[in-house]
Amino acid sequence: MAAHGCCSLSAAFQEYLRHLALQDFPCGLGSWNKSCLSGHRSPHRVQPGQEEAVLDEETPEALLELLRDQHSPWALPQDCSPQDQLLKEMAVLAPELVHGSKVYQVLKSLRMVDKGVEEVDEGVLQFQQLEELILSANQISRITSANLPRTLKILELCCNTVCDLEDLCSQPPPELQHLGLGHNRLCGPSQDKFLTEDFWPNLISLDLSFNNLTDLLGLVSQLSSLQKLRILVLQGNPLAFIPTYRGFLVDSLPKLSILDDIYIGPDERQQFHGLARQPELSRSEARVVVTVGEMKGVPDPSALQQLDVDSEAPVITCSYFVTYEFAEGEEGEELEDESNTEVTKTHQSSMVTMLDVDSSAQDTGETKNQQDPAAMEETKARSAKVFVTPGKPWADTIDCSYTKEHIAKDLVGLKSYLAAGTIVSVVEEKPPASRDKKKKQQQQLPRELRSDPPILSTLGTTRVTLEALLATEDLVATVCDFGVLITEKPPESPVPEEKDEKKGKDKNKKPKEEGKGKNKDTAELEEGQELQPVPLTVQFQMQLLRWPFAVSAQSQENEAVAVEKTQ
C-alpha cells in the first residue's frame, strides 16, 4: 500500500525503515546480541524508576534463526521482498551497518514500489553505492536526473505518470544500462529526441511499452544511434498496430536481440530484410479484420406465433443480424460477395439509424434478452461506430458469413478502443404488425409515408475483451455466450372446448402410439431432450493484419482501383 504523506523518495524510505523495525529484537544493537559491544547497547530501554531488564545474550546465528524459522513469532513474512530480508538479516549480523545514515552507504539496490512517491529528491544522492533503483507503481510525473546517483545502472519507472523526459535527460547517469518507462504517459514525437546515444551511451535495455508513441519512423531514426541497445519493448503503443511495425524495427536495428520479449532469430531477419529501405510501407495506419460466423440458439419465431387455424394472417418472417462497435475514424470495406453491395449498405445504414433510437421503444417484449448492464453503459459513454451484418432468416444455425476489413488511421483512438473492448449484440428484425386501424390511417397518407419501420428487438448484448491485441497477440477469437433466451409469456392454454377436442383426439391416437412400442420412460426422455435449452451464441473474431499479409491485401486493393479506372 502507498505510504500516506510520503511525497519524496527520501521520506518514503525513512517510513519504510521504521516499518521494518531494524532496531527491535532480534535485530539491532540490543543487549541480546553477543556480537555487539557494550557501548552499542541501547540506553533508552531502561525507564526511570525501573531496573534494567536482563536478557539472555544470543549469538547472531541463533537470532538469525528466529527470522528464518516460520514457526517463530519474529519470522519474516513469506511474501517479504529480497530487500526486506537483506536488511533484516543485516540488522542481526552487522547491526551497525544499518544504524543511522550508514544504511545509505550499504545498499546497492533500492526497491520502492507503490509507496506514494511523487518526487526523486536530493536526499537520494546519499545512496553512494546505488546501482539499481526500482520506483514502479508510484506517482512520479517528472524526474530530475541531477538527483540520481552517478553509479546507477538500472532505473525502473514503470507504472508512473511520466509525460516528459527533458528533466531526466539533463544530467543522466552515464553508466545506465536499463531504462524502464513502460505504462507511462509519453506521447511522440516530441519525446523521441531524448532517446539517443547522446543521453544514454551505455543503454542495453529500453522499455517504452504501453505509452502513446505514434511515430514509428521518427522513433526508429533516434533509436538507431543507441549502439549498445539489445533489448527493446514497444508493445502497447499505437505505433505497434502498424502492419510493418516488427519487420521495420528488426531490419532497422540489426544489433537488436529481443523485441517485445520475443527473440529475433536469423530467419526473421532474413524475412524482413530490405524493409527498412521501404518506409512508404510503414504508413501510420492499422488494418483490422472482423469476422462474424455462426449464430446458434435463436428461438424459432414460428413457435411463438399463436395463430388461429382459420386465420388468414400471414406468417411473420423475422431476420437476425449482429452489431458490433469499432473505433471511429476508420475506413474499410466488406470482404464478401459484392452482388448486393448497394442493398447491404442501405440496409446497414438504416439499421444503424434505428439502433441509435432507444431500444425500449422498439422492443416488442416477446423475448427477454440476456444483456450485460456494464456493456450497455459503456456503449453510451464512449464514442464508437456501430457496424451491422446483413440480416439472415431464422435457422437452427444461422451462418452470418460476415468479414470486414477496417483501416484505422487514428492509432491512439484504436488503442483506447481495444483497451475498452467492443460491444457485440444480436438483434431480431420483425416487419411491423398489420392492424386495421393502421391500414385506414395509411390509406389516408401519401404512398411514400405509408410504410412503418421494422420492429427491432435486442436479444443479447455482451462485451468482448480485446486487450490481448495491445500486446503481441494478433488474433482474438471467441464465442459470445448471451445465455438462454426466456419467453416472457408462455403459450396460452387452450379453452375448455379445445381441451375436450384434444382429449378426444388423444384417446383415438393412444392405441396407435402404444402400438409403436414407445414406453413411458422413452417418451419422458424425448420430451426432456426437446425442452433442453440452448444458449444464444455467436462466433466473433478480430485480427490485426501484419506484414506481409496486410501488404498483399493492400496490393489487391490498388489493383482493383486500377481496374476500375481503366474501365
Side-chain angles (χ1 to χ4, degrees):
M1 292 179 62
H4 296 291
C6 291
C7 294
S8 69
L9 178 55
S10 296
F13 180 66
Q14 288 299 323
E15 177 65 23
Y16 166 71
L17 291 180
R18 282 193 292 271
H19 177 73
L20 283 181
L22 299 180
Q23 303 305 319
D24 296 343
F25 183 86
C27 304
L29 299 169
S31 59
W32 51 83
N33 195 325
K34 276 187 178 181
S35 67
C36 297
L37 299 176
S38 58
H40 286 160
R41 293 183 180 179
S42 177
H44 67 272
R45 293 190 173 275
V46 181
Q47 301 295 332
Q50 295 180 352
E51 296 183 358
E52 180 178 0
V54 179
L55 297 177
D56 294 336
E57 293 182 347
E58 299 286 353
T59 63
E61 290 75 17
L63 294 173
L64 194 61
E65 187 63 25
L66 293 177
L67 293 178
R68 294 177 175 176
D69 186 1
Q70 293 301 316
H71 299 288
S72 166
W74 298 280
L76 293 171
Q78 292 184 354
D79 60 346
C80 84
S81 67
Q83 178 176 284
D84 296 349
Q85 183 176 356
L86 173 65
L87 289 173
K88 293 285 282 189
E89 292 183 356
M90 188 181 295
V92 171
L93 299 176
E96 66 278 1
L97 294 181
V98 296
H99 185 71
S101 61
K102 292 182 179 179
V103 67
Y104 290 98
Q105 302 173 16
V106 173
L107 287 178
K108 289 189 175 182
S109 174
L110 178 61
R111 180 183 178 87
M112 300 294 292
V113 176
D114 193 18
K115 301 296 182 182
V117 177
E118 298 177 1
E119 175 192 6
V120 179
D121 59 305
E122 261 186 314
V124 183
L125 294 174
Q126 297 180 74
F127 293 94
Q128 299 176 9
Q129 306 296 323
L130 197 64
E131 295 182 357
E132 181 182 44
L133 180 57
I134 311 296
L135 297 175
S136 303
N138 284 290
Q139 301 166 22
I140 301 171
S141 58
R142 287 176 177 268
I143 183 167
T144 303
S145 58
N147 295 336
L148 295 174
R150 311 304 288 171
T151 54
L152 209 58
K153 293 182 179 179
I154 296 175
L155 177 59
E156 183 58 67
L157 295 166
C158 176
C159 297
N160 279 276
T161 59
V162 178
C163 58
D164 186 48
L165 299 178
E166 185 174 1
D167 292 343
L168 179 60
C169 294
S170 59
Q171 300 178 43
E175 301 300 321
L176 198 72
Q177 297 177 6
H178 170 78
L179 178 59
L181 291 166
H183 293 269
N184 277 278
R185 299 178 182 177
L186 298 175
C187 300
S190 60
Q191 303 303 312
D192 297 349
K193 60 185 177 183
F194 299 115
L195 301 171
T196 65
E197 191 176 29
D198 296 338
F199 304 103
W200 317 104
N202 293 296
L203 200 64
I204 297 174
S205 172
L206 177 61
D207 181 5
L208 295 170
S209 61
F210 293 91
N211 282 276
N212 276 326
L213 302 175
T214 57
D215 186 6
L216 177 61
L217 301 182
L219 179 61
V220 170
S221 67
Q222 304 297 327
L223 295 178
S224 60
S225 67
L226 299 174
Q227 296 301 314
K228 296 186 178 181
L229 188 65
R230 298 294 182 271
I231 302 172
L232 178 63
V233 186
L234 283 172
Q235 64 184 9
N237 281 284
L239 57 79
F241 301 140
I242 298 174
T244 57
Y245 154 75
R246 184 173 179 88
F248 187 78
L249 278 167
V250 168
D251 196 41
S252 300
L253 305 175
K255 295 183 180 180
L256 205 62
S257 300
I258 299 175
L259 175 59
D260 294 338
D261 301 323
I262 299 175
Y263 174 73
I264 302 172
D267 293 341
E268 189 175 18
R269 289 207 179 276
Q270 181 61 33
Q271 178 188 6
F272 297 132
H273 179 68
L275 194 57
R277 296 191 295 271
Q278 304 179 66
E280 68 278 1
L281 297 179
S282 300
R283 292 183 297 180
S284 184
E285 63 181 31
R287 306 176 78 91
V288 184
V289 174
V290 175
T291 303
V292 181
E294 294 181 347
M295 184 194 311
K296 296 181 180 180
V298 179
D300 186 354
S302 62
L304 300 176
Q305 297 176 22
Q306 302 297 322
L307 299 177
D308 297 330
V309 178
D310 298 331
S311 174
E312 297 180 357
V315 177
I316 299 177
T317 303
C318 299
S319 63
Y320 301 87
F321 56 88
V322 177
T323 70
Y324 66 93
E325 293 181 345
F326 196 81
E328 286 203 54
E330 65 81 42
E331 299 175 2
E333 62 179 8
E334 292 179 20
L335 308 178
E336 58 184 15
D337 184 10
E338 299 183 355
S339 58
N340 295 322
T341 302
E342 293 302 324
V343 176
T344 301
K345 289 182 178 179
T346 303
H347 173 267
Q348 291 184 353
S349 177
S350 60
M351 289 301 103
V352 170
T353 302
M354 298 174 69
L355 287 169
D356 287 338
V357 182
D358 185 5
S359 59
S360 62
Q362 298 172 350
D363 197 338
T364 59
E366 288 189 2
T367 57
K368 187 177 292 185
N369 52 350
Q370 304 290 325
Q371 299 189 18
D372 183 352
M376 298 299 291
E377 288 300 321
E378 283 186 22
T379 306
K380 298 176 182 178
R382 60 185 178 152
S383 176
K385 199 173 180 180
V386 178
F387 290 84
V388 183
T389 66
K392 298 285 185 176
W394 181 88
D396 288 329
T397 299
I398 302 173
D399 189 1
C400 296
S401 300
Y402 176 87
T403 301
K404 183 178 179 64
E405 180 178 347
H406 300 268
I407 302 175
K409 297 184 179 296
D410 179 8
L411 299 182
V412 176
L414 178 61
K415 177 186 173 182
S416 300
Y417 162 76
L418 294 177
T422 188
I423 306 299
V424 177
S425 301
V426 175
V427 181
E428 178 186 66
E429 179 185 354
K430 186 183 297 183
S434 59
R435 298 178 181 176
D436 295 337
K437 291 183 178 180
K438 283 190 175 182
K439 287 182 179 180
K440 293 179 180 179
Q441 292 175 356
Q442 288 181 352
Q443 290 175 359
Q444 300 174 0
L445 294 174
R447 179 174 297 179
E448 62 272 11
L449 299 178
R450 289 181 185 178
S451 60
D452 288 340
I455 301 172
L456 302 181
S457 301
T458 302
L459 303 183
T461 297
T462 190
R463 185 175 74 92
V464 177
T465 302
L466 302 172
E467 288 180 322
L469 298 178
L470 292 174
T472 54
E473 296 294 328
D474 293 339
L475 176 67
V476 169
T478 185
V479 176
C480 302
D481 190 340
F482 302 93
V484 178
L485 299 187
I486 305 172
T487 57
E488 288 190 351
K489 294 181 180 180
E492 296 181 1
S493 56
V495 294
E497 294 113 354
E498 292 177 345
K499 286 184 178 180
D500 296 336
E501 292 177 4
K502 188 175 180 181
K503 286 182 180 179
K505 291 179 181 179
D506 291 341
K507 288 180 180 179
N508 296 332
K509 291 181 180 179
K510 189 173 182 181
K512 295 181 180 179
E513 290 177 355
E514 292 176 352
K516 292 180 181 179
K518 288 187 179 181
N519 55 35
K520 182 179 179 181
D521 295 337
T522 305
E524 290 180 354
L525 180 62
E526 290 181 357
E527 184 180 357
Q529 290 176 346
E530 290 177 0
L531 296 177
Q532 184 176 3
V534 178
L536 175 62
T537 59
V538 170
Q539 295 174 344
F540 182 87
Q541 75 174 36
M542 183 174 292
Q543 181 180 14
L544 274 172
L545 291 185
R546 300 295 188 186
W547 192 89
F549 303 107
V551 175
S552 61
Q554 184 176 342
S555 300
Q556 292 176 3
E557 288 181 9
N558 295 337
E559 290 176 4
V561 172
V563 170
E564 289 180 3
K565 288 182 178 179
T566 56
Q567 292 177 351

